[in-house]
Amino acid sequence: MATPRYTALRGTRDLLPEEASRWRFVESTAHELFARFGFEEIRTPVLESLELFTRSVGAASDIVAKQMYTFQAGDEAVCLRPENTAPVVRAFVEHALYRRVAAGFPERLYYIGPMFRHERPQKGRYRQFHQIGVEVLGAEEPLADAETLHLLDQLLRHLGIPDGVLVVNSVGDANCRPAYRDALLRWLEPRTAQLCEDCQRRHRDNPLRVLDCKVEADRALLAEAPRLDEYLCTPCRDHFSAVCRALDDYGVAHRIDARLVRGLDYYERTVFELSHADLGAQSALLGGGRYDGLVQALGGPAVPGFGFAVGLERLMLLLPPDLGQAHRTDAAIIPLGAEALHGAHRLADHLRREGLSVLVPLTPRPLGAQLRRADRSRARFAVFVGGAEQATGKFGVKDLDSGEQQTLDEPALLAQIKGDPRR
Ligand code: AMP
């Protein structure tokens, strides 16, 4: 019987070393930048209870209604997390992190990790994908929204992705949104037959979500629908204009779109998305907003929240090709003959202890094969170890870019490689 051929599941991907190196670059840029803004990392489990998401993201949302990986484990209904705001808020409540919040000093958390949604895979859309996200818990001030969006803007700039369009809107709150919802429902009622199949279902559960429809005909029809901004109460209106003013102060370019809503139930007031033309059909690079009722809905005190999540796969599609390349190997040690293998490994050990990256074979190989392998590792130097080198303690050292060759003892060799300006 033929051995079956195993492949990664549809909608999941392997990151081979070259790509993993670019991911690590993005992740370390995020770690470093978030720390500058006082954010601390939180890592929560990939497995959560299903109820956490029906309660927060909403049972009628596309994510919960259609895209969850759920299963029964013993007597628990569990799922793979489809997003990470609800898990972070769960942890915030569970560990009483709200005790650390003081006026003006919210809890600032961030995460990087995999999420799971059973969607139809295509370019930029996977079933296991990754997000970098931040959550600010305990600040209702518009400045919290603006500063966090400034952080986001900085992240994209550091990654060489400066030309996305940040679109912002306010979706109101529990005070003013019901009136808009009613008005929209009244407007939709005589027109439902003209909507796409999804919207015919959506509009009954949550009419606002119809505004989020990507179907062209629906979008054209909805251009005439009542506008959210005309229904905002004064506190929501004031909050939103203060956010936009603070964004201007921070120099964060943005555009207001009164039709922008988000597909998750927990958002209130500020919502935003950033899309990028180069991403094609899956153009949304990131999204987020304010969720002032979520902590309470998940059993905590009345603590407001604000956050964003960036899709890492989509970010990687936009990352300039020269960023995040794997580091070059410092030295390829080249034993000349079987007797030199031991000495080559002793030298490799010394150099590695000094913090250098070193390539050395495990078995004697022809010189040509060793030089080709050194080239693939983009080694800067080749260090030859033969009988003479072992006797004199001096090695032939070749700069693999310039071809220049020297004979150096070990301290001089170390100084040469460590002082190399290409490191
Ligand atoms: P959402 O919470 O759905 O707005 O997702 C936030 C961001 O995560 C999106 O803007 C995408 O960049 C990314 N994202 C969401 N779903 C997927 C997916 N299935 N595959 C890849 N990235 C995704």
Side-chain angles (χ1 to χ4, degrees):
M1 206 177 76
T3 313
R5 217 175 111 80
Y6 297 108
T7 55
L9 291 178
R10 208 163 110 75
T12 71
R13 301 170 65 222
D14 298 311
L15 291 182
L16 301 185
E18 297 74 18
E19 224 182 327
S21 151
R22 281 165 56 78
W23 278 60
R24 215 168 45 241
F25 166 76
V26 170
E27 289 160 6
S28 53
T29 304
H31 287 298
E32 202 263 323
L33 186 67
F34 291 169
R36 283 195 220 170
F37 282 73
F39 281 79
E40 295 176 293
E41 188 182 14
I42 181 163
R43 301 189 187 198
T44 59
V46 160
L47 274 182
E48 290 277 1
S49 80
L50 175 59
E51 198 188 330
L52 176 63
F53 299 99
T54 48
R55 275 281 171 86
S56 53
V57 176
S61 64
D62 280 358
I63 294 178
V64 173
K66 300 199 285 195
Q67 302 169 352
M68 297 283 276
Y69 281 90
T70 56
F71 51 99
Q72 197 69 24
D75 55 5
E76 283 180 311
V78 300
C79 66
L80 298 177
R81 63 183 184 195
E83 62 97 56
N84 210 29
T85 298
V88 169
V89 169
R90 177 202 45 72
F92 178 79
V93 174
E94 183 172 341
H95 304 286
L97 299 186
Y98 45 80
R99 292 208 199 110
R100 313 205 297 211
V101 171
F105 297 100
E107 186 73 357
R108 296 164 182 246
L109 301 170
Y110 76 93
Y111 58 84
I112 302 179
M115 310 295 153
F116 303 85
R117 296 183 193 174
H118 195 266
E119 298 193 73
R120 193 168 54 77
Q122 53 180 277
K123 186 176 176 214
R125 199 209 271 165
Y126 300 95
R127 290 178 171 170
Q128 173 172 336
F129 61 100
H130 299 74
Q131 289 183 337
I132 300 183
V134 314
E135 312 293 352
V136 179
L137 290 148
E140 61 186 359
E141 297 83 358
L143 198 50
D145 310 29
E147 192 201 34
T148 310
L149 288 171
H150 166 59
L151 165 61
L152 177 59
D153 188 56
Q154 288 292 304
L155 177 65
L156 298 180
R157 277 171 201 282
H158 276 73
L159 296 174
I161 309 172
D163 49 352
V165 185
L166 178 67
V167 180
V168 293
N169 190 25
S170 175
V171 291
D173 62 8
N175 180 34
C176 56
R177 197 160 42 193
Y180 175 71
R181 190 178 182 277
D182 291 346
L184 182 63
L185 256 181
R186 273 198 305 280
W187 187 87
L188 283 172
E189 218 48 68
R191 297 171 176 85
T192 41
Q194 299 171 55
L195 295 171
C196 74
E197 215 173 286
D198 273 347
C199 284
Q200 300 202 6
R201 175 182 59 81
R202 278 188 199 121
H203 99 279
R204 277 189 301 275
D205 303 327
N206 182 349
L208 257 76
R209 210 162 279 133
V210 173
L211 296 179
D212 202 20
C213 183
K214 302 287 183 271
V215 175
E216 215 34 70
D218 286 26
R219 294 190 77 85
L221 180 70
L222 288 160
E224 306 298 325
R227 288 169 60 103
L228 235 168
D229 49 345
E230 287 164 6
Y231 285 79
L232 294 183
C233 58
T234 307
C236 283
R237 199 178 292 274
D238 290 349
H239 182 96
F240 189 54
S241 43
V243 170
C244 294
R245 255 198 322 276
L247 285 175
D248 287 336
D249 288 346
Y250 263 122
V252 177
H254 60 281
R255 185 165 65 72
I256 298 171
D257 178 353
R259 270 170 219 292
L260 178 71
V261 292
R262 304 258 310 136
L264 294 75
D265 277 357
Y266 49 63
Y267 287 115
E268 283 187 7
R269 295 194 166 175
T270 316
V271 294
F272 55 90
E273 271 181 10
L274 191 143
S275 44
H276 211 288
D278 296 354
L279 288 173
Q282 302 302 313
S283 66
L285 173 62
L286 60 93
R290 180 163 277 286
Y291 48 87
D292 291 347
L294 184 58
V295 178
Q296 228 170 356
L298 294 180
V303 173
F306 184 90
F308 66 72
V310 186
L312 251 168
E313 281 77 5
R314 295 186 194 173
L315 195 69
M316 298 314 297
L317 290 171
L318 299 172
L319 190 72
D322 56 318
L323 291 185
Q325 300 281 353
H327 288 297
R328 296 183 65 173
T329 295
D330 290 314
I333 300 185
I334 302 202
L336 303 167
E339 331 58 68
L341 202 57
H342 180 67
H345 274 266
R346 208 172 40 227
L347 178 61
D349 174 35
H350 294 172
L351 299 188
R352 285 171 175 155
R353 282 170 198 268
E354 292 290 333
L356 302 185
S357 59
V358 172
L359 175 74
V360 62
L362 297 173
T363 192
R365 293 300 313 276
L367 179 62
Q370 295 202 53
L371 286 173
R372 278 195 298 281
R373 187 61 182 75
D375 190 47
R376 178 151 97 65
S377 299
R378 300 188 304 130
R380 282 174 248 272
F381 294 96
V383 182
F384 299 96
V385 180
E389 282 82 358
Q390 297 195 76
T392 61
K394 292 197 167 193
F395 305 95
V397 180
K398 183 173 179 180
D399 181 319
L400 291 174
D401 288 345
S402 68
E404 207 175 297
Q405 191 138 352
Q406 293 169 279
T407 305
L408 303 171
D409 62 11
E410 202 177 302
L413 164 67
L414 250 177
Q416 172 80 24
I417 300 178
K418 281 192 165 177
D420 184 60
R422 293 165 296 177
R423 274 194 96 208

